[in-house]
Amino acid sequence: MTVDIVDHSSLLARLVSCVFRKRVAEGPDLGLQFLSLPPGACDVLVPSRLPGLDGGKPLAPWKLVEDPATLPDLPPPPGFLKKGKGKGKGQSASGLKGGLGKSNWIASFTGQKGKARGASQVEQPDQQARAGSLAVGRFGVEENPVPNFGCFDPEELKQSTFNCTTLVVERGCCIVPDALPSHSCTQLCGLIDAVLEEVQQKLRNAPDDNTRDQVRLTELGSVHAEDHRWDVKLPLCSEVRCAVELLVSSLGSLLEDLVSRDAVLAELACVVSDPGAKQQPLHADTLRIGSACAPSVTVFVPLQDTRAAMGPTILCQGTHNLESHLSLFKCEQVFMPQDVVVKKHGGLPAISAAGTAIIMNSNLLHCGGANLPEAMGGSRRRLFYVTFQTPGNTPDRSSFSLREDLLEEYYLSDFDSGPSLEHSPDPVRKDLLLGSLRGDSSAMLDLGIYLQSQGDPGAVEYFRKAALKKNVKAFAYMADVFEQGLLGIPRNPEEATKLRNFGLAMEESMNMEAGSDSPPASAHLQVSEQSEQRHFGAAEASEDNPASAMSSA
């Protein structure tokens, strides 16, 4: 199949033009995974003759024109001071191998010489603390001095959180040492090791793959490789609850400033990595691409002193924005090696003592580092974390780590020392969210409709998830969002037409494959305001009432 050069319109429009002529022969799967990508995510498509892989499966019908070396550099992270050139691209540190397809580990860090205090304090260049350097194979060991992450003592935060809040808004992260006392860290270490051993025993004793999959879904988050890295969902037992309360108390009103006391508990878990765990790909927990949701706030706490060889969390300050997310997407499209991706986005390892709180905007690019073999200094690393979600914003939570019994049950106000707040239970929302997390496409669609009736911008993400599951009606709802410019998505009538047509083509192809005599696709794609009002009792929409218009898909 040959793909013609097309204009700079949305990715989906380009995808549709590639797929329609082959939709019957190729089936509707071609390009489905790209429905989650934003309009305009790729810059240019070029003609490509597609050889077949083993089994005759065609290769992807596009590639970016840009060479990795020509991708523009991002502005330096806030507070970053580049001094000197370091080693050139052609030089490698002794004993390290680099380049495409090779693993590059953290190899060398300089000593820390102090702490950066407050958002307004600026150190002189010769006083810059060296927070360490990443060994990047093709670039050698980076020697540029960089400042420490913004650091605030709990005592400072009790007096005022203004500087800390300002810094988190600007850079997307900060550090609070001694946020969790050592006795609580030790207690949590024992509890987490015991919970993980119990989960591993359940997996070993499972009689079949279905049972093992159920154990993983219930007990583990999506970040795990069962030999070296696990994401353990934690129960809200007395030890864990006490730790969360101590943590929230140490941060003063910081979390309230960032997400409010009405913020819902969205994650409660611990990432455990053992020697041999590979570095994670750079990512953000919630995307700015194709979403208008406000970010959540995550607090990471290493439960033991974390050395460089243990693979500390790598944070890219100042990347909690659309520009950085699009840059990362481009890097992934051209298969740029992860060491280069991390360097390009200014990644720095958060080496820290036990009990240090790392506060992070969920849009920030970050990843877990590589835990080296024991002979090279690696050892078990436990990273306890808790996430609070901004009210009225429901991002795709399929990758969030929280036990089902805690879903939509607790809020920030349940863990601080302020007056209690009443939160009315919403059984409809909770049931739909549970169904969506279990992979039910109908629940995804219905949750999107429900969120839209509440003016929640997360509705778009659930329409998209349902469309990825081949739920044809989801295309109509997405089309209405683009057509009317709802939920923070810019108005784009042309994109709306493409979405409707793509849904029609998909249903037509599915019906042909199934030999079905079902009604025409158009009957399923005509979603009216009246039908939605019957389903959820949405208010009548009007041009003068944008909030009401959101309920008229």
Side-chain angles (χ1 to χ4, degrees):
M1 182 173 68
T2 300
V3 180
D4 298 326
I5 297 178
V6 292
D7 60 19
H8 287 28
S9 60
S10 76
L11 173 62
L12 188 55
R14 295 196 294 271
L15 180 61
V16 169
S17 69
C18 299
V19 170
F20 269 20
R21 287 172 292 175
K22 294 287 186 178
R23 66 180 185 271
V24 175
E26 302 281 350
D29 289 332
L30 183 60
L32 259 184
Q33 58 184 317
F34 295 96
L35 290 175
S36 58
L37 301 180
C42 294
D43 289 335
V44 181
L45 297 178
V46 298
S48 173
R49 292 285 180 184
L50 304 179
L53 297 175
D54 290 342
K57 185 177 180 180
L59 294 174
W62 55 84
K63 64 186 181 71
L64 283 177
V65 168
E66 294 95 340
D67 181 86
T70 68
L71 289 173
D73 288 332
L74 288 172
F80 180 82
L81 179 64
K82 188 169 184 179
K83 184 178 180 182
K85 296 182 180 180
K87 296 187 177 180
K89 290 186 179 181
Q91 303 178 39
S92 297
S94 176
L96 291 179
K97 296 182 179 180
L100 291 171
K102 301 292 184 182
S103 294
N104 294 284
W105 287 342
I106 295 173
S108 174
F109 292 84
T110 56
Q112 295 185 1
K113 296 184 180 179
K115 298 178 178 180
R117 297 285 181 183
S120 59
Q121 181 173 343
V122 179
E123 298 177 323
Q124 297 301 316
D126 59 348
Q127 296 175 324
Q128 289 287 356
R130 299 171 71 91
S133 55
L134 287 175
V136 180
R138 294 198 299 158
F139 292 89
V141 177
E142 177 62 60
E143 294 181 344
N144 295 333
V146 293
N148 280 336
F149 299 99
C151 185
F152 299 85
D153 287 334
E155 291 302 317
E156 292 181 64
L157 297 181
K158 289 180 181 177
Q159 300 299 320
S160 172
T161 60
F162 177 78
N163 286 341
C164 186
T165 303
T166 301
L167 189 70
V168 174
V169 170
E170 176 191 351
R171 298 191 188 180
C173 61
C174 76
I175 288 178
V176 179
D178 303 318
L180 197 61
S182 57
H183 69 84
S184 184
C185 292
T186 302
Q187 192 176 45
L188 281 180
C189 281
L191 171 69
I192 289 162
D193 286 348
V195 172
L196 178 56
E197 175 58 34
E198 182 180 346
V199 173
Q200 291 172 323
Q201 189 63 45
K202 288 180 180 179
L203 291 171
R204 288 191 292 267
N205 295 341
D208 52 51
D209 288 342
N210 288 337
T211 305
R212 275 187 287 275
D213 289 342
Q214 187 58 46
V215 172
R216 293 186 187 102
L217 180 64
T218 303
E219 306 284 352
L220 298 173
S222 59
V223 182
H224 71 277
E226 290 176 10
D227 49 351
H228 295 109
R229 194 188 300 270
W230 299 266
D231 186 18
V232 185
K233 298 178 182 179
L234 297 178
L236 192 61
C237 56
S238 58
E239 297 92 339
V240 174
R241 176 155 197 153
C242 179
V244 176
E245 289 173 350
L246 289 170
L247 192 58
V248 171
S249 175
S250 296
L251 301 180
S253 65
L254 177 61
L255 295 179
E256 179 182 351
D257 296 342
L258 294 171
V259 292
S260 87
R261 297 184 69 227
D262 288 309
V264 67
L265 177 68
E267 291 186 292
L268 184 63
C270 181
V271 173
V272 181
S273 68
D274 283 336
K278 297 178 181 179
Q279 180 175 308
Q280 292 178 314
L282 195 66
H283 65 280
D285 290 341
T286 56
L287 291 177
R288 292 293 300 272
I289 295 176
S291 174
C293 283
S296 303
V297 172
T298 297
V299 183
F300 295 112
V301 183
L303 299 179
Q304 66 292 300
D305 292 349
T306 304
R307 305 181 302 276
M310 297 166 66
T313 305
I314 297 170
L315 303 171
C316 302
Q317 298 183 85
T319 59
H320 51 308
N321 52 61
L322 180 60
E323 179 186 22
S324 298
H325 288 203
L326 289 173
S327 171
L328 177 61
F329 174 76
K330 288 182 178 181
C331 293
E332 292 170 343
Q333 286 294 96
V334 295
F335 303 103
M336 186 179 289
Q338 278 298 309
D339 56 346
V340 184
V341 175
V342 170
K343 179 181 175 67
K344 174 180 172 61
H345 294 89
L348 296 172
I351 301 172
S352 50
T356 299
I358 303 168
I359 293 89
M360 186 188 77
N361 180 310
S362 65
N363 293 151
L364 193 76
L365 300 183
H366 67 285
C367 62
N371 199 330
L372 303 188
E374 290 186 19
M376 299 177 67
S379 62
R380 172 163 284 192
R381 180 175 72 102
R382 307 166 191 83
L383 187 70
F384 172 67
Y385 66 98
V386 58
T387 297
F388 291 98
Q389 178 184 303
T390 306
N393 292 263
T394 309
D396 176 11
R397 291 180 61 173
S398 58
S399 63
F400 282 24
S401 297
L402 186 71
R403 290 179 177 251
E404 285 190 354
D405 60 300
L406 303 180
L407 190 68
E408 304 284 296
E409 291 291 334
Y410 294 92
Y411 299 81
L412 178 59
S413 60
D414 294 318
F415 301 98
D416 63 17
S417 56
S420 61
L421 299 178
E422 293 294 329
H423 295 97
S424 302
D426 190 340
V428 173
R429 172 190 164 93
K430 182 172 180 177
D431 287 347
L432 292 175
L433 185 55
L434 273 173
S436 177
L437 293 175
R438 293 169 182 171
D440 183 344
S441 67
S442 295
M444 294 172 187
L445 175 61
D446 287 346
L447 178 59
I449 298 171
Y450 183 73
L451 294 177
Q452 187 174 22
S453 73
Q454 304 296 310
D456 189 325
V460 179
E461 299 196 26
Y462 286 91
F463 291 151
R464 187 180 292 115
K465 283 172 64 67
L468 285 166
K469 287 279 189 178
K470 303 183 183 180
N471 189 313
V472 177
K473 291 182 180 180
F475 286 96
Y477 283 97
M478 288 178 65
D480 286 340
V481 169
F482 278 94
E483 192 166 59
Q484 301 178 44
L486 306 176
L487 302 171
I489 300 298
R491 186 173 181 272
N492 190 334
E494 182 180 357
E495 186 74 8
T497 301
K498 299 290 188 181
L499 281 163
R500 293 187 196 279
N501 290 339
F502 193 77
L504 289 166
M506 174 181 290
E507 189 172 41
E508 177 186 342
S509 181
M510 292 170 65
N511 288 341
M512 290 179 65
E513 288 180 359
S516 171
D517 293 328
S518 55
S522 57
H524 294 285
L525 288 170
Q526 297 300 321
V527 182
S528 66
E529 175 182 322
Q530 289 78 13
S531 65
E532 184 183 333
Q533 289 176 344
R534 285 196 299 271
H535 196 65
F536 286 115
E540 182 178 357
S542 70
E543 293 183 0
D544 297 329
N545 186 355
S548 149
M550 290 182 179
S551 65
S552 60

